[in-house]
Amino acid sequence: MAGLDIRTHLDQLSLNAGKKARLYRLLYGAGPANGTLMILPIDQGLEHGPRDFLGAPESLDPGFQFRLALDGHFSAIACQIGLAEKFYPEYAGQVPLILKLNGKTEIPADNEPLSPLTASVEDAVRLGADAVGYTLYVGSPRQDEDFAQFRQIRAEAERFGMPVIVWSYPRGAAIEAKGGKNTVYAIDYAARTAQELGADVIKVNVPNVQADLSQAPKAYQREWTLDAALSQIIRSGGRSLVIFAGGEKASEEETLAKARQCMDSGATGLIFGRTVWQRSYHDAMTLAEEIHKLLANYPG
Amino acid sequence: MAGLDIRTHLDQLSLNAGKKARLYRLLYGAGPANGTLMILPIDQGLEHGPRDFLGAPESLDPGFQFRLALDGHFSAIACQIGLAEKFYPEYAGQVPLILKLNGKTEIPADNEPLSPLTASVEDAVRLGADAVGYTLYVGSPRQDEDFAQFRQIRAEAERFGMPVIVWSYPRGAAIEAKGGKNTVYAIDYAARTAQELGADVIKVNVPNVQADLSQAPKAYQREWTLDAALSQIIRSGGRSLVIFAGGEKASEEETLAKARQCMDSGATGLIFGRTVWQRSYHDAMTLAEEIHKLLANYPG
Amino acid sequence: MAGLDIRTHLDQLSLNAGKKARLYRLLYGAGPANGTLMILPIDQGLEHGPRDFLGAPESLDPGFQFRLALDGHFSAIACQIGLAEKFYPEYAGQVPLILKLNGKTEIPADNEPLSPLTASVEDAVRLGADAVGYTLYVGSPRQDEDFAQFRQIRAEAERFGMPVIVWSYPRGAAIEAKGGKNTVYAIDYAARTAQELGADVIKVNVPNVQADLSQAPKAYQREWTLDAALSQIIRSGGRSLVIFAGGEKASEEETLAKARQCMDSGATGLIFGRTVWQRSYHDAMTLAEEIHKLLANYPG
Amino acid sequence: MAGLDIRTHLDQLSLNAGKKARLYRLLYGAGPANGTLMILPIDQGLEHGPRDFLGAPESLDPGFQFRLALDGHFSAIACQIGLAEKFYPEYAGQVPLILKLNGKTEIPADNEPLSPLTASVEDAVRLGADAVGYTLYVGSPRQDEDFAQFRQIRAEAERFGMPVIVWSYPRGAAIEAKGGKNTVYAIDYAARTAQELGADVIKVNVPNVQADLSQAPKAYQREWTLDAALSQIIRSGGRSLVIFAGGEKASEEETLAKARQCMDSGATGLIFGRTVWQRSYHDAMTLAEEIHKLLANYPG
Amino acid sequence: MAGLDIRTHLDQLSLNAGKKARLYRLLYGAGPANGTLMILPIDQGLEHGPRDFLGAPESLDPGFQFRLALDGHFSAIACQIGLAEKFYPEYAGQVPLILKLNGKTEIPADNEPLSPLTASVEDAVRLGADAVGYTLYVGSPRQDEDFAQFRQIRAEAERFGMPVIVWSYPRGAAIEAKGGKNTVYAIDYAARTAQELGADVIKVNVPNVQADLSQAPKAYQREWTLDAALSQIIRSGGRSLVIFAGGEKASEEETLAKARQCMDSGATGLIFGRTVWQRSYHDAMTLAEEIHKLLANYPG
């Protein structure tokens, strides 16, 4: 199968028993259950605000995404503590939970971003979550605070056998000066940084291979096909599993094409949010089924 | 009943026993006792200073508000630790207490607000309080400190079974640049943020639907009726109960009209302070009775 | 009213705000709500084993006692952590909870009794309880361990504003040698001991005034009427509120007579278990109503 | 279905999200996956010593039981920390783990038994276990130490959302004096004690209804059918799920008959060890399949 | 090679990286360096007192054993904290250290033995040790204290990645009553107990197959060859590596024969003390060389 040769397998990760048990459930016990990941994130209400829901009013109720995660057979739902506390109990055990441990609003300026902790690894254990999520702003002038904060999370997660998924985002004024957060350079560095700091799974965005690389390091100043860029980024994740974000809502065709290209390049899975749930329930379910069909082609 | 279809009910909140017992007492054991909330806040002496009392000299004595909370059959009185320590003991058990856990003066500039802790959840337990209050400045450049501080409160409150009421206020220079703290955009984001971070009850202000939305995100750049705005904000609270502040003193008629509009839109209740107690005791009691009559129409 | 002159009132207890708020709820917010207590204990399943339920099969299901506590308008239900965790949530806030913090089975010999901790004051806070219960075996050869254990509970309860009800039982080989656990001497000493160690409420058994006092201290070696004995014991409770146990099942008439005599002697209330719930639901409700009528005569 | 009316359901347990998620996985995500439990215990090597393996040499290697748990589709395997650390990692996530937290050898006399801790709830979290097991010796003269030790485990388990399974065994000299550990009296008391102290699941032995009850409390001194005894014991478990041990090796027919009788009486499931694994792998698998077929008749 | 098929290999142990790195050094970086262990213990001065040195005066100076460990190319030296603090520094890194963490004198009676802690896992880390040793008295009436103490050591060792070697000794009055500490029954139970509690390596004594088994469990009441007994014990160690003690001084031939038999039966190695160092330095070195030659035949 395309991509399989560079895809990292659970058994290669040298995980302790708890991390392995929990990742196994995400990879083989739920969702496509073939070693791929299909995660539904609903943290945009905090990160972007309710504006993301105004065009698809059903989606304003978090119950919408929880039902969708269950009915659409997602590998897991990823959300903040507030939603987990109020909505997860009725789904407990039926769909795995990924608890996001930090977050922020988009209201203040983003030139020195830092995502403060909103919950703890122990909260995740208490809620029965199978992984925790952490947003790392690679390149932020406040990376020292970010790294220190992440170190605590990584250590706690190791102690409790909880897999760590890093939302690895290049961000901040220095990144902007070097071509912005969507260059292959920026995302590649973010993937490697997450690997270096101890991520078990790395979430990155799909790069824009048209983005201007003239201010990026010399080694990146060449033409990149999307395939080459994706492959480079996935390899930069090392033995951390790499999954790709869906980004803004796109058509069903575009969404599936993006999914296919990520998987062909060796990704372990997808974490598609808005492009899935900014639809009617019926349309979201239809798209989820299509993604399932696609992922069935990438057993690992 | 109007609004009832979107009003969240206690049984939907997945609360632990302690949170449920205490919220039950606020909703069904005191005040209107029909599932609505009618809270009397007296934290303005810290937040605004004694200027708020100068026009209604009786109100300068906190005993005034405590008596009013009891005689006016409020669901609870909300205040800082100092007032709770000195005035609550003689009312203990007769009227529920909500202990505000943070606060600040209005003296320094408000472009980077943060409300520091003034008391602990354990103080609230010791005083026999039935909830704690926390002011979150959504959008403040210091949101990282605010979130981190709130996280501790949320975790302690979970441990002790203490409901958390978030005074969720959009605030700071970035909010001002996007139309100010009274836009539906700002308040809507504040409601969602409080839900995401784990509020059990969310206190917000009634938006000004005339406020300029031209600098707000595109999705908000349209005409809003007050009904539509209130409904949107309440829905952004998800399974957290939403209550509305009364704001500055208004006439009895205006106050009751505001109350009615909030309740019709699906609010769980009201937290009306100045507009109630910046009156003579007799007038405040009269207004409290009128609010009682109104809330009797919204059983939940 | 008979007994009122020696009955201790909440305001005499110098309690901190939390203890006062919670005791107020027990005394005036639930049950007879007139300053008396009518508590339903269901801790016999641990203390005596299921044998207590065999003659009244409905009562084996703890849901029976919880429903009875609610429907029969008891001041509170008292039980161990296991029942509280599994049954209280659906009653949370509707009927006050007293969490028993220690307990034991009757299986091993009782000559050196000690009741080990089964839960903590913090558990009680988390569950939204309004008091904690502690069984003190006054006179046990292991009283040093018992006192030390109680000291921790008392200190925690003080810190959290949680009223402490002491099940004060004379017990052990030395008590047997002095006439047994039912003498006025033994129970009087138990009441005073509970007062001395810091009980807010003291639960004792009604003494048997026929019991042999020849081995008791000289001062007790005289005839005692039950009135005199009860009065003595209640006065030995000092400013701790004294309530009496119902003991084994008796007829409705006997039960009400015992209740009347306790109240006439100045008791604050009753904690009647088996004699109430070892009946059909209908009969138990009928008896509860009768007790209510009786307690209405003793406002405090 | 027979027994269903008295069988407790997960939704009745008022569990927090983590406990619910983990129990859901045991009840509906593995094994029969229909709400029943079929647990394979391999703690006999510590409790009885290797003598249990001498007649079935394959079973000496713990890998035998781990493979059997997986291939035989058990709900979970239950073992001590040493086996979990060395054998579970290669099965992590494929079969749920129940970590036994205490244990002892059978070498010293059993008249005052206490099972000391061998691992912690945090170990269970780290290993990715879905429940912890604790052996409580009901009636032991050392019950005070046992209760105190269990209290810590219960509190930790509550904090981490980890279900607690109590191996509730009547034991010690006082139990022997009252007819021994196999009477319906002794086991009934053990079931109630586990409920009172906070078990989520209770493991008991099937009583011997021929055992002498003449020294048991009066209420038990009558003829008991096995059905009546099992039903009584299950009801004494209240809202804790009750499962039955298999005991010594019996024939396939006897084993299945015992299983059927337990399930017909309302048990949630079975924890059959020696009678399953003291066979060749082939025969053990055959028996496991038969038990599966039987449990399929008791959906809950 | 004989025994290899049942010998456990490092890669089967599911160890964390630190435990694996340290055990690898013992198995492949020092001593025979072929996967076998040849450990020199010098803890007898505490356990037996200086009487062990009187017949071989050179051996009274711990420097003797340290030099021997280095010159004789042992896999490690095992000793108490006092010797480690004073003698190890000049050998640090040249020969691996195993720090014994508990010990006792033989002066008091041995019917209820417990070996108290004399050092911590952190001491072992500080000293650069590659493993810790713990003496467990299997079957002692004080096994509850022993298990609890060992649990702390195991947990600390897990945290620090420090391998744990259990000196697993059947001991105490109950063991004596069942045939004594040298029966295959007793030693077999000891091996299994160490496995169950989490040993990485288990040190046991070679059983006396002539010992009286008439009071042992039925399953053991048969003839045992030494080969069968050793094999049974090693299998009872499961995935923990099993090594054998040398016991009292014997002739070179007897010592080598014992070594050969243990290795042929599948042992991982030898921990021979007195029989090695109760000789002149020259003779001890000669014997060490012979053992080396023998172990070279058992690569793993």
Side-chain angles (χ1 to χ4, degrees):
Chain A
M1 180 56 46
L4 187 59
D5 52 326
I6 64 165
R7 198 171 307 144
T8 298
H9 189 274
L10 179 58
D11 284 338
Q12 297 173 293
L13 299 187
S14 295
L15 299 172
N16 68 26
K19 283 196 173 194
K20 192 179 167 196
R22 291 179 174 95
L23 261 185
Y24 186 93
R25 285 201 290 260
L26 294 178
L27 289 161
Y28 299 101
N34 66 344
T36 64
L37 291 172
M38 175 181 160
I39 297 170
L40 191 68
I42 174 56
D43 59 341
Q44 298 85 351
L46 177 61
E47 300 292 337
H48 306 158
R51 68 174 165 87
D52 274 1
F53 310 117
L54 293 191
E58 283 182 85
S59 69
L60 175 57
D61 172 13
F64 181 89
Q65 286 89 4
F66 276 83
R67 275 195 308 279
L68 182 59
L70 180 65
D71 295 346
H73 300 293
F74 280 78
S75 306
I77 189 167
C79 66
Q80 288 284 342
I81 184 78
L83 271 59
E85 293 274 15
K86 295 289 191 296
F87 291 88
Y88 188 61
E90 68 186 273
Y91 296 87
Q94 301 187 61
V95 60
L97 174 68
I98 297 167
L99 187 67
K100 273 298 303 286
L101 298 188
N102 62 347
K104 63 175 189 57
T105 72
E106 65 172 15
I107 301 171
D110 208 27
N111 49 346
E112 300 197 0
L114 174 73
S115 187
L117 294 182
T118 54
S120 66
V121 178
E122 195 177 312
D123 283 319
V125 170
R126 176 174 53 85
L127 287 163
D130 278 326
V132 291
Y134 182 94
T135 298
L136 189 77
Y137 288 126
V138 177
S140 169
R142 296 179 72 183
Q143 75 178 346
D144 51 345
E145 295 171 65
D146 208 2
F147 281 24
Q149 184 174 265
F150 178 70
R151 179 173 62 87
Q152 299 285 355
I153 294 302
R154 181 196 50 71
E156 288 284 291
E158 178 69 23
R159 183 155 77 90
F160 288 125
M162 184 64 72
V164 177
I165 304 179
V166 173
W167 270 235
S168 200
Y169 291 156
R171 206 62 63 88
I175 284 289
E176 289 312 306
K178 291 175 185 184
K181 62 190 180 184
N182 295 316
T183 63
V184 59
Y185 156 67
I187 294 172
D188 198 31
Y189 206 154
R192 180 75 189 200
T193 299
Q195 182 195 183
E196 297 269 355
L197 299 193
D200 299 307
V201 180
I202 303 170
K203 178 209 180 185
V204 284
N205 287 309
V206 172
N208 174 3
V209 290
Q210 313 304 330
D212 177 14
L213 286 164
S214 62
Q215 303 307 312
K218 271 238 170 78
Y220 286 91
Q221 295 183 13
R222 61 172 179 86
E223 292 298 306
W224 289 86
T225 63
L226 183 50
D227 277 357
L230 290 171
S231 172
Q232 168 68 24
I233 289 163
I234 290 165
R235 288 176 190 276
S236 285
R239 286 196 184 159
S240 310
L241 310 177
V242 176
I243 60 177
F244 284 92
E248 293 184 11
K249 185 184 168 186
S251 73
E252 190 174 311
E253 293 67 38
E254 290 164 324
T255 299
L256 291 170
K258 178 188 271 195
R260 189 175 304 109
Q261 198 149 19
C262 292
M263 297 308 295
D264 280 344
S265 299
T268 292
L270 310 167
I271 175 165
F272 282 14
R274 286 169 292 167
T275 199
V276 171
W277 54 247
Q278 282 181 342
R279 299 172 193 272
S280 70
Y281 197 76
H282 176 270
D283 289 356
M285 280 293 295
T286 304
L287 179 50
E289 280 162 35
E290 292 299 320
I291 297 173
H292 259 281
K293 280 184 206 158
L294 188 148
L295 289 176
N297 297 320
Y298 301 89
Chain B
M1 182 54 48
L4 186 61
D5 53 326
I6 64 165
R7 198 172 306 143
T8 299
H9 189 272
L10 180 58
D11 284 338
Q12 296 173 293
L13 298 187
S14 295
L15 300 172
N16 67 27
K19 283 195 174 195
K20 193 179 166 195
R22 291 178 175 95
L23 261 185
Y24 187 93
R25 285 201 289 262
L26 294 178
L27 289 162
Y28 299 100
N34 66 344
T36 63
L37 291 171
M38 175 180 159
I39 297 171
L40 190 68
I42 173 56
D43 59 342
Q44 298 85 351
L46 177 62
E47 300 292 337
H48 306 158
R51 68 171 166 87
D52 274 3
F53 309 118
L54 295 192
E58 283 181 84
S59 69
L60 177 58
D61 171 14
F64 180 88
Q65 286 89 2
F66 276 83
R67 273 195 310 281
L68 181 59
L70 180 65
D71 295 345
H73 299 294
F74 280 79
S75 305
I77 188 166
C79 65
Q80 289 284 344
I81 185 78
L83 270 58
E85 293 275 17
K86 297 290 192 295
F87 291 88
Y88 187 60
E90 69 186 90
Y91 296 87
Q94 300 187 61
V95 60
L97 174 67
I98 297 167
L99 186 66
K100 274 297 304 287
L101 298 188
N102 62 347
K104 63 175 189 57
T105 71
E106 65 173 14
I107 301 172
D110 208 28
N111 49 347
E112 301 197 359
L114 176 74
S115 186
L117 294 183
T118 54
S120 67
V121 178
E122 195 177 314
D123 285 320
V125 170
R126 176 174 53 83
L127 287 162
D130 277 327
V132 292
Y134 182 94
T135 297
L136 189 77
Y137 289 125
V138 176
S140 169
R142 297 180 71 182
Q143 74 178 343
D144 52 343
E145 295 170 67
D146 207 3
F147 282 22
Q149 183 174 268
F150 178 70
R151 180 174 62 89
Q152 300 285 356
I153 295 302
R154 181 196 51 71
E156 287 285 293
E158 177 70 24
R159 183 156 77 90
F160 288 124
M162 183 65 71
V164 177
I165 304 178
V166 172
W167 271 235
S168 200
Y169 292 155
R171 208 61 64 89
I175 284 290
E176 289 312 308
K178 291 173 185 184
K181 64 190 180 185
N182 294 316
T183 63
V184 58
Y185 157 66
I187 294 172
D188 198 29
Y189 206 154
R192 180 76 187 200
T193 299
Q195 183 196 183
E196 296 267 351
L197 299 192
D200 298 308
V201 180
I202 303 170
K203 178 209 179 185
V204 284
N205 288 307
V206 173
N208 173 4
V209 292
Q210 313 305 328
D212 177 14
L213 285 164
S214 63
Q215 303 308 311
K218 271 233 170 80
Y220 286 92
Q221 296 182 15
R222 61 172 179 85
E223 291 298 308
W224 289 84
T225 63
L226 183 50
D227 278 357
L230 291 170
S231 173
Q232 167 68 23
I233 289 162
I234 290 166
R235 288 177 192 274
S236 284
R239 285 196 185 157
S240 310
L241 310 176
V242 176
I243 59 178
F244 284 92
E248 295 183 9
K249 184 184 168 188
S251 73
E252 190 175 311
E253 291 67 37
E254 289 165 323
T255 299
L256 290 170
K258 178 187 271 196
R260 188 174 304 109
Q261 199 150 19
C262 291
M263 297 307 294
D264 280 345
S265 298
T268 292
L270 310 166
I271 176 165
F272 282 15
R274 286 169 291 167
T275 198
V276 171
W277 53 249
Q278 282 181 343
R279 299 173 193 272
S280 70
Y281 197 74
H282 175 271
D283 289 358
M285 280 293 294
T286 304
L287 180 51
E289 279 162 37
E290 291 300 319
I291 296 173
H292 259 281
K293 279 184 207 161
L294 187 148
L295 290 176
N297 297 321
Y298 301 88
Chain C
M1 182 53 48
L4 186 60
D5 52 328
I6 66 165
R7 197 172 307 143
T8 299
H9 189 275
L10 180 59
D11 285 338
Q12 297 174 292
L13 299 186
S14 295
L15 300 171
N16 69 25
K19 283 197 173 193
K20 191 179 167 195
R22 291 178 174 96
L23 261 186
Y24 187 93
R25 286 200 289 260
L26 293 178
L27 289 161
Y28 299 101
N34 66 344
T36 64
L37 290 172
M38 175 180 161
I39 297 170
L40 190 69
I42 174 57
D43 59 342
Q44 297 86 349
L46 177 62
E47 300 291 338
H48 307 158
R51 68 173 165 89
D52 275 0
F53 311 118
L54 294 191
E58 283 181 85
S59 70
L60 176 57
D61 172 13
F64 181 89
Q65 287 89 3
F66 276 83
R67 275 194 309 279
L68 182 60
L70 180 66
D71 295 346
H73 299 294
F74 280 78
S75 306
I77 188 166
C79 66
Q80 288 283 342
I81 184 80
L83 272 59
E85 294 273 15
K86 295 288 191 295
F87 291 87
Y88 187 60
E90 68 186 274
Y91 297 86
Q94 300 186 61
V95 59
L97 174 68
I98 297 168
L99 186 67
K100 272 297 304 285
L101 298 188
N102 61 347
K104 63 173 190 57
T105 72
E106 66 173 15
I107 301 170
D110 209 28
N111 49 347
E112 301 196 1
L114 176 73
S115 188
L117 294 183
T118 54
S120 65
V121 179
E122 195 176 314
D123 283 319
V125 171
R126 175 174 55 84
L127 287 163
D130 278 326
V132 292
Y134 183 95
T135 297
L136 189 77
Y137 288 126
V138 177
S140 169
R142 296 179 74 183
Q143 73 179 347
D144 52 343
E145 295 171 65
D146 208 2
F147 282 22
Q149 186 173 265
F150 179 70
R151 180 172 60 87
Q152 300 284 355
I153 295 302
R154 182 196 49 72
E156 288 283 293
E158 178 69 23
R159 182 155 77 90
F160 288 125
M162 183 65 72
V164 177
I165 304 178
V166 172
W167 270 236
S168 199
Y169 292 156
R171 206 63 63 89
I175 283 289
E176 289 311 307
K178 292 177 186 181
K181 62 190 181 185
N182 295 316
T183 63
V184 59
Y185 157 66
I187 294 173
D188 198 30
Y189 207 154
R192 180 73 187 201
T193 300
Q195 182 196 182
E196 296 271 353
L197 298 193
D200 299 308
V201 181
I202 302 170
K203 177 209 178 183
V204 284
N205 287 309
V206 172
N208 174 2
V209 290
Q210 313 304 332
D212 177 13
L213 286 164
S214 64
Q215 303 307 312
K218 272 237 169 81
Y220 286 92
Q221 296 182 12
R222 63 172 177 85
E223 291 298 308
W224 289 85
T225 63
L226 184 51
D227 277 357
L230 291 171
S231 173
Q232 168 66 25
I233 289 161
I234 290 165
R235 288 176 191 275
S236 284
R239 287 199 184 157
S240 309
L241 310 177
V242 176
I243 60 179
F244 284 92
E248 294 183 11
K249 186 185 166 184
S251 73
E252 192 175 309
E253 293 66 36
E254 291 165 323
T255 300
L256 291 170
K258 178 188 271 197
R260 189 174 305 110
Q261 199 150 21
C262 292
M263 297 307 295
D264 280 344
S265 298
T268 293
L270 310 167
I271 175 164
F272 282 16
R274 286 168 292 166
T275 199
V276 171
W277 54 249
Q278 281 181 343
R279 300 172 192 272
S280 70
Y281 197 75
H282 176 269
D283 289 356
M285 280 293 295
T286 303
L287 180 51
E289 280 161 36
E290 291 299 320
I291 297 173
H292 259 281
K293 279 184 207 157
L294 188 148
L295 289 176
N297 298 320
Y298 300 89
Chain D
M1 182 53 48
L4 186 60
D5 52 327
I6 65 165
R7 198 171 304 143
T8 298
H9 189 274
L10 179 58
D11 284 339
Q12 297 173 292
L13 299 186
S14 295
L15 301 171
N16 68 25
K19 284 196 173 194
K20 192 179 167 195
R22 290 178 175 96
L23 261 186
Y24 187 94
R25 285 200 290 260
L26 294 178
L27 289 161
Y28 298 101
N34 66 345
T36 64
L37 290 172
M38 175 181 160
I39 297 171
L40 191 69
I42 175 56
D43 59 342
Q44 298 86 349
L46 177 62
E47 300 292 338
H48 306 159
R51 68 172 166 88
D52 274 1
F53 310 117
L54 293 190
E58 282 181 85
S59 70
L60 176 57
D61 172 13
F64 180 89
Q65 287 89 1
F66 275 83
R67 274 193 310 279
L68 181 60
L70 180 67
D71 294 347
H73 299 294
F74 280 78
S75 306
I77 188 166
C79 65
Q80 288 284 343
I81 184 80
L83 271 60
E85 293 274 16
K86 296 288 191 295
F87 291 87
Y88 188 60
E90 68 186 273
Y91 297 87
Q94 300 186 62
V95 60
L97 173 68
I98 297 167
L99 186 67
K100 273 295 305 287
L101 298 189
N102 62 347
K104 63 174 190 56
T105 72
E106 66 172 15
I107 301 171
D110 209 27
N111 49 347
E112 301 197 1
L114 176 73
S115 188
L117 295 182
T118 54
S120 66
V121 178
E122 195 176 314
D123 283 319
V125 170
R126 175 174 54 84
L127 287 162
D130 277 326
V132 292
Y134 182 95
T135 297
L136 189 77
Y137 289 126
V138 176
S140 170
R142 296 179 73 183
Q143 73 179 343
D144 52 342
E145 295 171 64
D146 208 2
F147 282 21
Q149 186 173 266
F150 179 69
R151 181 173 63 88
Q152 300 286 356
I153 295 302
R154 181 197 50 72
E156 288 284 294
E158 177 70 23
R159 183 156 77 92
F160 288 124
M162 183 66 71
V164 177
I165 303 178
V166 172
W167 270 235
S168 199
Y169 291 156
R171 208 62 64 88
I175 283 289
E176 289 311 307
K178 291 175 186 184
K181 63 190 181 185
N182 295 317
T183 64
V184 58
Y185 156 66
I187 294 172
D188 198 29
Y189 206 155
R192 180 76 186 201
T193 300
Q195 183 197 182
E196 295 268 351
L197 300 193
D200 299 308
V201 180
I202 302 171
K203 179 210 179 183
V204 284
N205 287 309
V206 173
N208 174 2
V209 290
Q210 314 304 331
D212 178 14
L213 286 165
S214 63
Q215 304 307 311
K218 270 233 170 82
Y220 287 92
Q221 296 182 15
R222 61 171 179 86
E223 291 297 307
W224 289 85
T225 63
L226 184 51
D227 278 358
L230 291 170
S231 174
Q232 168 68 24
I233 289 162
I234 290 165
R235 288 178 192 273
S236 283
R239 286 196 184 155
S240 309
L241 309 176
V242 176
I243 60 178
F244 284 92
E248 295 185 10
K249 185 185 168 185
S251 73
E252 191 174 309
E253 292 67 37
E254 290 165 323
T255 299
L256 291 170
K258 177 187 272 198
R260 189 174 304 109
Q261 198 149 20
C262 292
M263 297 307 295
D264 279 344
S265 298
T268 292
L270 310 167
I271 175 164
F272 282 16
R274 285 168 293 165
T275 200
V276 171
W277 54 248
Q278 281 181 344
R279 300 172 192 271
S280 70
Y281 197 75
H282 175 270
D283 289 355
M285 281 293 295
T286 303
L287 180 51
E289 279 162 37
E290 290 300 319
I291 297 173
H292 259 281
K293 279 184 207 158
L294 188 148
L295 290 177
N297 297 321
Y298 301 89
Chain E
M1 180 53 50
L4 185 59
D5 53 327
I6 66 164
R7 197 172 306 144
T8 298
H9 189 273
L10 180 59
D11 284 338
Q12 296 173 292
L13 298 188
S14 296
L15 301 171
N16 67 27
K19 283 197 175 194
K20 192 178 168 193
R22 290 180 175 95
L23 261 186
Y24 190 94
R25 283 201 292 261
L26 294 177
L27 289 161
Y28 299 102
N34 66 344
T36 64
L37 290 172
M38 174 180 160
I39 297 170
L40 189 69
I42 173 53
D43 58 343
Q44 296 86 350
L46 176 63
E47 300 291 338
H48 306 159
R51 68 173 166 87
D52 274 2
F53 310 118
L54 294 191
E58 282 182 89
S59 69
L60 178 58
D61 172 13
F64 180 88
Q65 287 89 1
F66 275 83
R67 274 193 311 280
L68 181 59
L70 181 64
D71 295 347
H73 299 295
F74 279 79
S75 305
I77 187 166
C79 64
Q80 287 285 344
I81 184 79
L83 271 60
E85 294 275 15
K86 296 291 191 297
F87 292 87
Y88 188 61
E90 70 187 272
Y91 296 86
Q94 300 185 66
V95 60
L97 172 68
I98 296 168
L99 186 67
K100 273 296 304 287
L101 298 189
N102 62 346
K104 63 174 189 56
T105 72
E106 64 173 14
I107 301 171
D110 210 27
N111 49 348
E112 299 197 2
L114 175 73
S115 187
L117 294 183
T118 54
S120 66
V121 178
E122 196 176 316
D123 285 321
V125 170
R126 175 174 54 83
L127 287 162
D130 277 326
V132 291
Y134 182 95
T135 298
L136 188 77
Y137 288 125
V138 176
S140 169
R142 297 179 72 183
Q143 73 178 346
D144 53 342
E145 296 170 66
D146 208 3
F147 282 22
Q149 183 173 268
F150 178 70
R151 180 173 62 88
Q152 300 287 355
I153 296 302
R154 181 196 51 71
E156 288 285 292
E158 177 71 24
R159 186 157 75 90
F160 287 123
M162 182 65 70
V164 177
I165 304 178
V166 172
W167 271 236
S168 199
Y169 292 156
R171 208 62 63 89
I175 284 289
E176 289 312 307
K178 291 174 187 184
K181 63 189 182 185
N182 294 317
T183 63
V184 58
Y185 157 66
I187 294 172
D188 198 28
Y189 206 154
R192 180 76 186 199
T193 299
Q195 182 196 182
E196 295 268 351
L197 300 193
D200 299 308
V201 180
I202 302 171
K203 178 208 179 184
V204 283
N205 287 310
V206 173
N208 173 3
V209 290
Q210 313 305 329
D212 177 13
L213 286 164
S214 64
Q215 303 307 312
K218 270 234 169 81
Y220 286 93
Q221 296 182 14
R222 62 172 178 86
E223 291 298 306
W224 289 85
T225 63
L226 185 51
D227 277 358
L230 291 170
S231 174
Q232 168 68 24
I233 289 162
I234 290 165
R235 287 178 192 274
S236 283
R239 286 195 184 157
S240 309
L241 310 176
V242 176
I243 60 178
F244 284 92
E248 294 183 10
K249 185 185 169 187
S251 72
E252 190 173 311
E253 292 67 37
E254 290 165 323
T255 300
L256 291 169
K258 177 187 271 198
R260 188 174 304 108
Q261 200 150 19
C262 291
M263 297 308 294
D264 279 345
S265 298
T268 292
L270 310 166
I271 175 164
F272 282 15
R274 284 168 293 166
T275 200
V276 171
W277 53 248
Q278 281 180 345
R279 299 172 193 273
S280 69
Y281 197 76
H282 176 269
D283 289 356
M285 280 294 295
T286 303
L287 180 51
E289 279 161 35
E290 291 300 319
I291 297 173
H292 259 281
K293 281 184 204 156
L294 187 147
L295 289 176
N297 297 321
Y298 300 89

